[in-house]
Amino acid sequence: MAEKKTAGAFDIRTLIGGLLGLYGVVLTVMGLWFTPAAEKEKVDGSNLNLEVGIGLIVVAGVFITWALLRPIRVPAEPSPPQ
């Protein structure tokens, strides 16, 4: 049986999780320190930057956990053309 390796950093779930996490951190920081009261009043006093940022961080954690628990296995060497 051929040896198999994991896709690792090239797994699309890792890339998506990383990007969502990055955007989530940016929105969370914006929501905590850089959202003025006038912007909050536009959405009935809710801090949407903070809420969406936390949601994105949670979803990013799900993607990265999924990639770690169920890695994609690829052949160590490519099969010869037929």
Side-chain angles (χ1 to χ4, degrees):
M1 188 162 133
E3 182 181 338
K4 294 196 177 225
K5 296 180 354 183
T6 61
F10 299 108
D11 187 351
I12 191 71
R13 298 171 294 181
T14 306
L15 296 173
I16 291 172
L19 283 174
L20 289 176
L22 177 67
Y23 295 148
V25 168
V26 169
L27 281 176
T28 301
V29 168
M30 292 297 294
L32 287 173
W33 291 293
F34 299 107
T35 302
E39 292 293 322
K40 292 177 188 176
E41 287 304 315
K42 290 181 183 178
V43 288
D44 297 330
S46 181
N47 191 344
L48 286 180
N49 282 340
L50 181 61
E51 293 172 12
V52 173
I54 291 170
L56 283 173
I57 291 171
V58 169
V59 171
V62 169
F63 267 88
I64 292 173
T65 302
W66 179 25
L68 290 174
L69 294 178
R70 304 272 312 211
I72 293 177
R73 305 260 183 224
V74 293
E77 295 182 18
S79 59
Q82 297 185 26

